[in-house]
Amino acid sequence: MTIQPLSESTEMYLKAMAELNQHETVAIGRLAGRLNVTAVSANEMVRRLSEQGLVKHTPYKGAALTKKGREAAGNVVRRQRLWECFLHDQLKIEWTQLYEYACSLEHATAPEVTEALAVFLGSPKTCPHGNPIPAADGSFTPLNGIPLSEVSVGQTVRVLAVNASAKEVIVHLHERGLLPGRKIKVTAAAPLQGPLTLQVENREVALGLHLAEFVIVEIHSK
Amino acid sequence: MTIQPLSESTEMYLKAMAELNQHETVAIGRLAGRLNVTAVSANEMVRRLSEQGLVKHTPYKGAALTKKGREAAGNVVRRQRLWECFLHDQLKIEWTQLYEYACSLEHATAPEVTEALAVFLGSPKTCPHGNPIPAADGSFTPLNGIPLSEVSVGQTVRVLAVNASAKEVIVHLHERGLLPGRKIKVTAAAPLQGPLTLQVENREVALGLHLAEFVIVEIHSK
DNA sequence: GGGAATAATAAGGGCAACCTTATCTTAATC
DNA sequence: GATTAAGATAAGGTTGCCCTTATTATTCCC
Ligand SMILES: [Mn+2]
Ligand SMILES: [Mn+2]
Ligand SMILES: [Mn+2]
Ligand SMILES: [Mn+2]
């Protein structure tokens, strides 16, 4: 099983679901937004995906990946993140372009190539954005961190990963020094969903709460 | 110009034309055969390609690449052959699989990635099959060799390149040791388009005349 | 409990690439 | 100059994935 090649579109739906929510249900609207299609189109596609047993759709509740779908999605993510490592470490491609370029390559990569690439790269555990690279069977342990948006004022944290796919978001975060490994102090939080004020490497940065959701951090012990 | 991204299908048609015939006209039937589509489909597609100015179609004569089409085709070939180098030299993928795997990747590769890959690989001049890698502008000088099928009995030649795309052909030639660099003596030629008999590294090999067309050789001086 | 937001469904279309079957045209050949 | 093979064209289909507009159903929340 899991040997039939999936279309690029199918792979992107599965990946989007995995990125939005590993296990729980994903609202059709969010899926549509992430993939830049209308809700009607997303509905149609989810129907096709559930006919293929990749997704379980509960009307008015949302869609969830099945075991089969989760494995397939993990595999797509694996391919993307391995390519990101290659593009970054070997080809010296800009950090902000990695996601986009790897997002094309991921659909054109045979299993044998994927595994040879992993070996070539030394079986990296995370991509250049800090996200974990799933195993060959599609499984992986999510990061043990929380979104920056949930950190309370006064705390110091370390960036584990940047988990964004929209180019503008990636560029925005990059420009503000929000990269894996960086130490950050949350110095203020504006009311009414206003921006956070951060201390990033001796630099004061304002960051919208929504944008902070994409930054996964761990509390900086000591 | 030449900035619009072409569809995978379009790129494959252009590449097939370049592989079949760099400059002259290509018969629609051959194109259809190479791409595994019906002649009707090839006709339709050639019409679309000529509407885009990539191809010049002369009814009942055949189709030829325009300057624009030749550049685009050269670029596809460049991407493929660079990936073949990577897959072979770095990932250690089997020689017989290179064409197929690179044929997927070629359509998913942005110009920036292509050029970074070329630099990473040290700007190779030929692919692992011995074929020249076009420049970034799509231009390249064809090999200065002749098909093995045109060599006369008694001559000794050196293999410059294997220029096949069908997997079975590639495997067949590989099994018989017909790889770039090999020295070959043509010891006999059967009548009525029968097979050639070759001396390949102390081994006697029979090779169909049709298959010999894919092996590009140079006369072995001295 | 009613209204708003979200989701689902129905109906009708579009586009790129493919397909089959049938008819007609041209080129090549003897 | 007639035959034949190859090519062109016409007509009608299919599949995947997308769209709009309209209607209906459900859930959520004040
Ligand atoms: Mn992708
Ligand atoms: Mn990444
Ligand atoms: Mn290809
Ligand atoms: Mn090659």
Side-chain angles (χ1 to χ4, degrees):
Chain A
M1 61 223 58
T2 323
I3 336 177
Q4 7 74 311
L6 305 174
S7 74
E8 173 160 347
S9 188
T10 295
E11 289 194 337
M12 288 305 286
Y13 271 82
L14 297 179
K15 191 178 80 170
M17 290 184 63
E19 283 172 345
L20 286 171
N21 209 324
Q22 193 53 203
H23 280 275
E24 294 154 57
T25 227
V26 174
I28 260 71
R30 284 187 76 198
L31 200 51
R34 160 79 62 132
L35 293 165
N36 262 297
V37 297
T38 62
V40 176
S41 296
N43 250 292
E44 286 175 346
M45 190 64 177
V46 164
R47 186 180 38 69
R48 274 178 232 126
L49 294 175
S50 54
E51 279 165 8
Q52 292 174 81
L54 295 164
V55 146
K56 174 88 196 305
H57 184 213
T58 314
Y60 298 102
K61 294 295 181 181
L65 291 168
T66 61
K67 182 161 176 292
K68 187 176 162 192
R70 198 157 42 242
E71 281 172 12
N75 207 271
V76 179
V77 173
R78 173 177 174 80
R79 278 174 262 151
Q80 173 172 37
R81 292 183 182 165
L82 286 170
W83 279 122
E84 286 178 347
C85 289
F86 173 70
L87 295 175
H88 182 257
D89 300 349
Q90 317 286 327
L91 299 197
K92 313 299 180 193
I93 301 279
E94 284 177 63
W95 194 82
T96 53
Q97 308 254 260
L98 299 174
Y99 189 97
E100 183 179 331
Y101 290 157
C103 187
S104 297
L105 291 169
E106 66 192 357
H107 312 289
T109 312
E112 194 190 333
V113 173
T114 307
E115 298 321 310
L117 180 62
V119 170
F120 172 74
L121 296 169
S123 302
K125 293 290 161 279
T126 62
C127 75
H129 306 103
N131 298 115
I133 297 178
D137 66 5
S139 68
F140 72 106
T141 37
L143 281 182
N144 191 18
I146 57 170
L148 180 55
S149 52
E150 292 176 14
V151 172
S152 21
V153 173
Q155 284 204 293
T156 298
V157 298
R158 183 184 295 281
V159 177
L160 286 178
V162 170
N163 196 7
S165 60
K167 176 94 167 279
E168 357 141 39
V169 174
I170 294 173
V171 169
H172 190 91
L173 296 175
H174 181 252
E175 281 169 358
R176 281 153 188 79
L178 295 160
L179 303 176
R182 289 291 167 87
K183 212 195 297 182
I184 293 178
K185 186 174 183 187
V186 181
T187 56
L192 292 175
Q193 315 231 59
L196 298 178
T197 307
L198 310 171
Q199 195 75 33
V200 184
E201 307 247 308
N202 300 323
R203 192 171 144 212
E204 190 172 281
V205 166
L207 187 72
L209 206 58
H210 249 56
L211 290 160
E213 284 174 29
F214 295 110
V215 183
I216 309 300
V217 301
E218 62 176 353
I219 305 299
H220 196 236
S221 35
K222 191 192 77 66
Chain B
M1 62 224 54
T2 325
I3 337 178
Q4 7 73 311
L6 305 175
S7 74
E8 174 161 344
S9 188
T10 295
E11 290 194 338
M12 288 305 285
Y13 271 83
L14 297 179
K15 192 179 81 168
M17 289 184 64
E19 284 173 344
L20 285 171
N21 209 326
Q22 192 54 202
H23 280 275
E24 294 156 54
T25 227
V26 174
I28 259 70
R30 284 187 77 197
L31 200 50
R34 161 79 63 134
L35 293 163
N36 261 298
V37 296
T38 63
V40 176
S41 296
N43 250 293
E44 285 175 347
M45 189 64 177
V46 164
R47 185 180 39 67
R48 275 178 231 126
L49 294 176
S50 54
E51 279 165 7
Q52 292 174 81
L54 295 164
V55 146
K56 174 87 196 307
H57 184 211
T58 314
Y60 297 102
K61 293 295 183 181
L65 291 169
T66 61
K67 181 160 177 292
K68 186 177 163 193
R70 198 157 40 241
E71 281 171 13
N75 207 272
V76 178
V77 172
R78 172 176 175 79
R79 277 174 264 149
Q80 175 173 36
R81 293 184 181 165
L82 286 171
W83 278 123
E84 284 177 347
C85 288
F86 173 71
L87 295 175
H88 181 258
D89 300 349
Q90 317 286 326
L91 299 198
K92 315 297 180 194
I93 301 277
E94 283 177 63
W95 193 82
T96 53
Q97 309 253 257
L98 299 174
Y99 188 97
E100 184 179 331
Y101 291 157
C103 187
S104 298
L105 291 169
E106 65 191 358
H107 312 290
T109 313
E112 194 191 333
V113 174
T114 307
E115 299 321 310
L117 180 63
V119 170
F120 172 75
L121 296 170
S123 302
K125 295 290 161 280
T126 62
C127 76
H129 306 102
N131 298 116
I133 296 178
D137 65 5
S139 68
F140 71 106
T141 37
L143 280 182
N144 193 17
I146 57 170
L148 180 56
S149 51
E150 293 177 14
V151 172
S152 19
V153 173
Q155 284 202 296
T156 299
V157 298
R158 183 185 296 281
V159 177
L160 287 178
V162 170
N163 196 6
S165 60
K167 177 93 167 281
E168 358 141 36
V169 174
I170 294 173
V171 169
H172 189 92
L173 296 175
H174 180 254
E175 281 171 357
R176 282 154 187 77
L178 295 161
L179 303 176
R182 290 290 166 88
K183 211 194 298 180
I184 292 178
K185 186 173 183 186
V186 181
T187 56
L192 292 175
Q193 316 230 59
L196 298 178
T197 306
L198 310 172
Q199 194 75 32
V200 184
E201 307 246 307
N202 298 325
R203 192 171 142 215
E204 191 173 279
V205 166
L207 188 72
L209 207 58
H210 249 55
L211 291 160
E213 285 174 30
F214 295 110
V215 182
I216 309 300
V217 302
E218 62 176 353
I219 304 299
H220 197 236
S221 34
K222 188 194 81 60

